[in-house]
Amino acid sequence: MLLEVENLNVYYGAIHALQGVSFHVEEGEIVTLIGANGAGKSTTLRTISGLLRSRTGHIKFKGQDISMMPADQIVRLGISHVPEGRKIFAPLTVKENLLMGAYTRKDPNEIERSMQRVFASFPRLKERLNQLGGTLSGGEQQMLATGRGLMSRPTLLMMDEPSMGLSPILVEEIFNIIKDINSQGTSILLVEQNAQMALSISHRAYVLETGRIVLSGSAKEIAENPRVKEAYLGV
């Protein structure tokens, strides 16, 4: 098993944000966490990537317990986090943003190869290599944030709301790229408000409500669940 999350309990002060959350991601999968705003989806990703600490529970990656590891060490092990709101470095160029994603790596030839792989997925970034990140469109910034996440050569790419604020055409493009990244061997843990699109490309899914997982199953089962249809798919 690639990622195993067991009984996570996370607090913000007195607020019990994650309540006994358990799930897993197998190698080669796209797994989606869906839920309303405030359900705990982003908190889950931030805890896995070492930005938050759980009070109880364990996170195992490739069988190794990473629950108390610092965030930079977790990146070195092979987990990359593309945060909500993109969080690119606006004053830096596209190239400099991408190189920031490779800060844990040392071999310049390998870094260059990774950059070329990013350009194969995102040709627009190559065209804008020396442009400042802050001057890119929303869609291009999402591509840059994803490309930056890929520069650490992750085994598991965690993506938080990649379609947020994008036009329908760009949403489709981003999801096609996510499928393509996955087909090249990167497992993906996806947090996404656009449940319909997320479920259409995922293998499995979990539904989070107020810090608890209330449903799990194949993406098809979740998409056909009457409760999910009503709450998240607008059916």
Side-chain angles (χ1 to χ4, degrees), residues 9-222:
N9 285 279
V10 176
Y11 290 78
Y12 291 110
I15 298 165
H16 196 173
L18 294 184
Q19 304 176 34
V21 166
S22 298
F23 66 92
H24 69 277
V25 179
E26 302 278 1
E27 279 193 44
E29 281 192 314
I30 301 177
V31 173
T32 292
L33 303 179
I34 61 173
N37 275 336
K41 306 183 303 297
S42 295
T43 299
T44 301
L45 297 196
R46 287 169 61 79
T47 306
I48 293 166
S49 62
L51 300 174
L52 291 173
R53 287 276 173 253
S54 60
R55 196 171 290 180
T56 63
H58 294 280
I59 303 161
K60 290 179 182 169
F61 183 62
K62 298 179 184 174
Q64 184 176 356
D65 195 321
I66 63 168
S67 310
M68 301 309 290
M69 266 187 198
D72 65 309
Q73 205 171 329
I74 290 170
V75 174
R76 285 184 173 87
L77 282 181
I79 297 179
S80 188
H81 184 174
V82 181
E84 182 182 358
R86 317 199 240 284
K87 305 286 195 297
I88 63 155
F89 300 103
L92 301 185
T93 64
V94 166
K95 184 176 184 179
E96 288 165 340
N97 267 276
L98 291 173
L99 289 173
M100 289 295 280
Y103 79 98
T104 59
R105 301 174 63 191
K106 297 289 179 273
D107 185 332
N109 295 325
E110 282 292 316
I111 291 169
E112 179 58 30
R113 271 197 283 275
S114 292
M115 198 170 283
Q116 294 309 318
R117 278 199 290 269
V118 168
F119 295 151
S121 293
F122 304 105
R124 238 174 295 177
L125 294 182
K126 190 171 187 179
E127 294 165 16
R128 288 159 174 68
L129 198 58
N130 297 311
Q131 197 169 320
L132 296 182
T135 66
L136 300 177
S137 70
E140 289 162 352
Q141 288 191 11
Q142 183 59 56
M143 291 173 189
L144 179 55
T146 306
R148 183 183 61 191
L150 289 170
M151 286 296 293
S152 64
R153 228 175 25 181
T155 313
L156 176 67
L157 183 67
M158 303 195 300
M159 304 187 74
D160 196 348
E161 304 288 4
S163 79
M164 186 184 278
L166 302 184
S167 69
I169 288 176
L170 273 176
V171 168
E172 201 157 319
E173 189 178 343
I174 288 290
F175 275 96
N176 283 334
I177 290 165
I178 293 169
K179 274 199 303 189
D180 186 51
I181 291 167
N182 176 246
S183 72
Q184 294 174 46
T186 304
S187 305
I188 292 172
L189 178 59
L190 183 60
V191 158
E192 180 53 63
Q193 288 278 76
N194 188 334
Q196 199 150 10
M197 283 295 283
L199 291 171
S200 75
I201 67 164
S202 298
H203 299 95
R204 292 185 304 105
Y206 296 86
V207 179
L208 266 169
E209 286 180 6
T210 56
R212 296 176 187 274
I213 287 175
V214 294
L215 281 171
S216 65
S218 72
K220 188 172 184 292
E221 286 166 350
I222 296 294

